[in-house]
Amino acid sequence: MQKIGNVRNNGTLKTDNSYRKIPLNIDQRLKQLLFEHKRKQQEIFKKSRAIKDKHRVWSEDEYVFLGRNYHPYVAESLAHGLQKIRNKYNLECVAPYRT
């Protein structure tokens, strides 16, 4: 039996109009927490042998949240992590998709 799977990656979009910038309307406390998280993530990239073994290098364009294998979260898995952060810091609703 052949193993079937898929790979998630950042492919090139068809047109420049396909790229979106989504503004975040967040309070100062959440903004500070995100900047602190980014700083800690940058330190992890400098020190982690697992990241170096994957030939990953820190970039300002790096995803904010990375999973255990240092790949970006997808909405399904991100929702659970955001719920933990929300409870830990007593924040209002934080979700990957919010209407």
Side-chain angles (χ1 to χ4, degrees):
M1 182 177 278
Q2 183 180 6
K3 187 175 180 179
I4 299 173
N6 68 347
V7 176
R8 293 183 173 133
N9 62 16
N10 292 334
T12 304
L13 298 177
K14 292 180 182 177
T15 69
D16 288 341
N17 291 335
S18 298
Y19 291 91
R20 297 185 299 162
K21 289 188 178 184
I22 302 170
L24 294 176
N25 297 321
I26 57 177
D27 66 10
Q28 278 302 113
R29 184 167 173 229
L30 179 56
K31 189 175 181 178
Q32 284 179 314
L33 292 170
L34 288 171
F35 277 117
E36 179 66 17
H37 172 77
K38 185 176 179 180
R39 187 191 64 72
K40 287 179 182 179
Q41 187 183 51
Q42 188 174 8
E43 289 299 314
I44 290 170
F45 264 72
K46 288 178 184 176
K47 296 177 182 176
S48 171
R49 174 156 307 283
I51 292 174
K52 290 176 185 173
D53 289 347
K54 293 179 185 291
H55 306 288
R56 299 281 303 275
V57 178
W58 171 256
S59 163
E60 281 293 323
D61 296 329
E62 185 61 67
Y63 286 90
V64 175
F65 299 105
L66 298 174
R68 288 186 192 129
N69 295 322
Y70 307 104
H71 292 289
Y73 281 104
V74 292
E76 301 88 42
S77 59
L78 184 57
H80 182 68
L82 286 175
Q83 179 70 29
K84 284 183 173 181
I85 291 170
R86 190 181 103 201
N87 292 340
K88 182 177 179 177
Y89 294 103
N90 195 26
L91 300 170
E92 292 184 23
C93 184
V94 178
Y97 296 105
R98 184 175 176 187
T99 58

